[in-house]
Amino acid sequence: MNVARANTPATPRVAFFHQNDVFETQGGIERYVATIFEGAPERVVLVSAGGPRKSARLFGLDVKPSTGAPRWVQFLRAVFAQRKAISAFLQDNDVQVLEFSRPEYIFLGLLFPGKRAVTIHGTGPGPGNRLHWLLHHACCLLLPFLADRVQIVGRDPSGVPKVALRMLGEKVAFFDAWYDESFTPAPLPPLAKADPLRIFYGGRIAPQKNPKLLFEIIRESARLAPGDFQFHYFGADFDAIEREGLADLVVNHGFLGPQALAEAMRSCHLGLMCSAFGEGSPYVVVEGLACGRPYILPTLPTLRAAYHGNVGVRFVERYSAQAYLAAMRAVRSEMLAGDIDSMKIAAEMTSRARSHAVPRLVHDLMRLTPRSIVEGIA
């Protein structure tokens, strides 16, 4: 266990609780926590699984692997077992607000003093995982009584039961995903008629991401439009692509840090996502748009609410390879005609940059505590 003790800071802080090492793990919520941790050094500390990073602002939780137990259950056990050391860490850092990355963690708020905030990422577990679905919704029903603020990524509140939303009232806040300053715009790569349009897919290849459709799009593009499209993958799950026999059709960049990911995005022309359920406002979309790259998205409520009307965003109404191919062909034609402006695409993402969004979030969280008045946080 890595516990770094800090001197008492001059201002109160927010402690974020998350089950994974946010600096070494792939996933939107890890990027969310890491971005806030880096973007508000005077206001934010972190309680998460231990990693290689040494910081006085990080309590490296010792999470013991347990056969058959989900990761979030292992995290709950670890926090309870190490609650005395965590309490000392929170006290040393003058923590006034506790932020939990899933509703099941709200019970941890009973172990420590401070205001409690819970973040809902995506639309919750899929209905196929019945036990987790029931637990998620049961914990959401407790939020009106135990949470001081509920933060929903994107604009779709369907991850929280309607009755809980009504009871929460003004405690609910909506926000979009953020990106690091690494994600800045650049002109589109040159594209001639004989060149392939370079399309990237970033992130996990998990059930809610609709990998079956992704694989079908790759196969159909090679069959129906050979040479017109080249697919690039950014992430840690290339083995799933290999198992489908598609390795020769996809350029694998692996799991990249923010700067390398931004450079890889800027080397491509277009981003693609085909998620079917459980999607909030994924970081890879706002990051790609921030680089000035257009995106093809499925018509999910979360994504429509976050990006409807944005320059460069094209929604596909049907979950079919043919529908995606039609959208890809249309983007290719527009680029060949010079009708897509990467700078205009990126300009609409400015308000979501870390320098704007993180201070705003921390400001709103600190307003939950009475000390915000004393400290002049209005």
Side-chain angles (χ1 to χ4, degrees):
M1 178 177 64
N2 169 34
V3 183
R5 301 291 290 267
N7 295 325
T8 303
T11 54
R13 288 177 167 177
V14 181
F16 282 74
F17 286 72
H18 182 58
Q19 66 193 40
N20 295 322
D21 174 5
V22 304
F23 306 105
E24 299 294 330
T25 307
Q26 181 177 359
I29 185 170
E30 284 79 27
R31 185 76 57 79
Y32 156 76
V33 177
T35 299
I36 298 169
F37 183 86
E38 299 284 7
E42 299 302 321
R43 287 288 189 181
V44 173
V45 298
L46 174 63
V47 178
S48 73
R53 175 174 296 237
K54 304 292 184 181
S55 170
R57 297 166 50 219
L58 169 64
F59 185 97
L61 197 68
D62 186 12
V63 179
K64 303 292 186 184
S66 176
T67 303
R71 178 70 175 181
W72 65 268
V73 172
Q74 299 173 28
F75 179 77
L76 284 175
R77 290 174 179 169
V79 171
F80 185 79
Q82 300 166 59
R83 61 191 182 278
K84 290 184 179 179
I86 295 173
S87 292
F89 171 78
L90 299 178
Q91 184 175 3
D92 285 349
N93 283 280
D94 195 15
V95 168
Q96 302 291 316
V97 181
L98 311 171
E99 201 272 5
F100 304 102
S101 59
R102 57 193 303 161
E104 294 89 334
Y105 294 165
I106 190 60
F107 299 108
L108 298 178
L110 303 178
L111 299 177
F112 312 109
K115 296 292 183 177
R116 298 182 285 263
V118 172
T119 297
I120 307 293
H121 294 257
T123 54
N129 191 341
R130 190 64 178 171
L131 284 177
H132 192 186
W133 187 91
L134 289 171
L135 178 62
H136 172 92
H137 284 71
C139 291
C140 285
L141 292 174
L142 295 174
L143 296 183
F145 308 101
L146 299 178
D148 298 288
R149 175 181 165 97
V150 173
Q151 305 171 153
I152 296 175
V153 177
R155 293 295 184 270
D156 182 5
S158 60
V160 183
K162 291 182 179 179
V163 62
L165 285 172
R166 288 195 296 269
M167 295 172 68
L168 284 164
E170 294 183 356
K171 290 183 178 180
V172 176
F174 296 88
F175 60 88
D176 293 317
W178 304 312
Y179 58 89
D180 187 271
E181 286 89 339
S182 301
F183 298 90
T184 54
L188 291 164
L191 181 67
K193 288 186 177 180
D195 297 333
L197 186 78
R198 298 197 288 272
I199 301 173
F200 67 84
Y201 175 92
R204 296 177 299 133
I205 298 181
Q208 69 265 35
K209 303 294 184 178
N210 206 356
K212 183 179 179 180
L213 176 56
L214 175 65
F215 301 149
E216 186 180 356
I217 293 168
I218 296 171
R219 287 193 183 96
E220 288 297 286
S221 68
R223 185 177 71 89
L224 299 175
D228 284 354
F229 306 105
Q230 182 186 78
F231 290 88
H232 294 248
Y233 175 65
F234 312 141
D237 297 333
F238 190 71
D239 58 334
I241 295 173
E242 291 177 320
R243 288 194 296 271
E244 290 291 319
L246 299 173
D248 292 341
L249 300 176
V250 180
V251 179
N252 177 31
H253 295 257
F255 179 55
L256 304 173
Q259 186 59 42
L261 178 59
E263 292 171 0
M265 285 178 168
R266 288 191 287 261
S267 73
C268 295
H269 298 96
L270 171 69
L272 179 146
M273 174 171 286
C274 49
S275 300
F277 69 89
E279 193 66 85
S281 183
Y283 272 70
V284 69
V285 175
V286 73
E287 289 167 347
L289 293 170
C291 288
R293 299 304 176 255
Y295 237 102
I296 296 176
L297 300 175
T299 183
L300 286 175
T302 47
L303 298 175
R304 275 206 173 274
Y307 299 109
H308 179 69
N310 276 81
V311 176
V313 175
R314 185 183 297 267
F315 288 97
V316 176
E317 301 297 331
R318 292 183 295 112
Y319 284 102
S320 72
Q322 289 72 25
Y324 272 85
L325 277 170
M328 289 155 51
R329 288 189 178 108
V331 172
R332 178 182 170 83
S333 296
E334 290 178 27
M335 285 194 181
L336 287 171
D339 293 337
I340 294 182
D341 187 334
S342 61
M343 298 304 170
K344 286 184 178 179
I345 294 172
E348 292 193 335
M349 297 297 107
T350 302
S351 65
R352 302 177 190 185
R354 183 172 75 178
S355 58
H356 295 276
V358 172
R360 186 165 59 242
L361 172 73
V362 175
H363 172 274
D364 289 344
L365 288 172
M366 293 310 306
R367 288 183 64 187
L368 296 176
T369 172
R371 285 197 49 188
S372 64
I373 300 175
V374 178
E375 300 287 344
I377 306 171

